[in-house]
Amino acid sequence: MKVYAIFSIANNYKQPENNLETLFQNKPNFENLKTFFFYQLSIDELRNSDIMFLVDLMRGKSVRLDNTEYRIEEVTVVVN
């Protein structure tokens, strides 16, 4: 089964490269990502930089938020 994973790399000593944040069954859209990263804010409360972070993440770029870099990857998982 193919799913979409959000991975993070923080600026910490000996940080693993594939720190799994969450999985999505389908490719996450803007609202999915907004809810995951900025659940406490309404769309009107987001800064321009927050919106660009979400858009770039949706485009498949590795992007930084605070001191952590995030990326989305399609991964295959085996369900037994």
Side-chain angles (χ1 to χ4, degrees), residues 3-80:
V3 296
Y4 291 85
I6 295 181
F7 294 105
S8 69
I9 300 174
N11 282 348
N12 294 334
Y13 182 68
K14 294 186 178 182
Q15 175 70 33
E17 291 186 22
N18 291 312
N19 184 28
L20 178 64
E21 293 287 335
T22 191
L23 294 173
F24 291 93
Q25 188 170 352
N26 299 305
K27 187 171 184 177
N29 60 28
F30 184 88
E31 188 60 35
N32 299 139
L33 295 174
K34 183 234 167 267
T35 300
F36 181 74
F37 286 101
F38 304 107
Y39 61 91
Q40 74 280 14
L41 299 177
S42 72
I43 190 75
D44 295 329
E45 294 173 305
L46 292 177
R47 300 172 296 180
N48 287 342
S49 60
D50 298 335
I51 293 170
M52 287 310 302
F53 166 81
L54 297 173
V55 169
D56 286 343
L57 195 58
M58 286 176 53
R59 291 180 175 161
K61 296 181 181 180
S62 290
V63 289
R64 186 168 287 284
L65 180 66
D66 299 323
N67 289 323
T68 305
E69 186 174 317
Y70 295 92
R71 70 185 186 283
I72 295 178
E73 289 183 21
E74 185 179 40
V75 296
T76 301
V77 295
V78 177
V79 179
N80 292 325

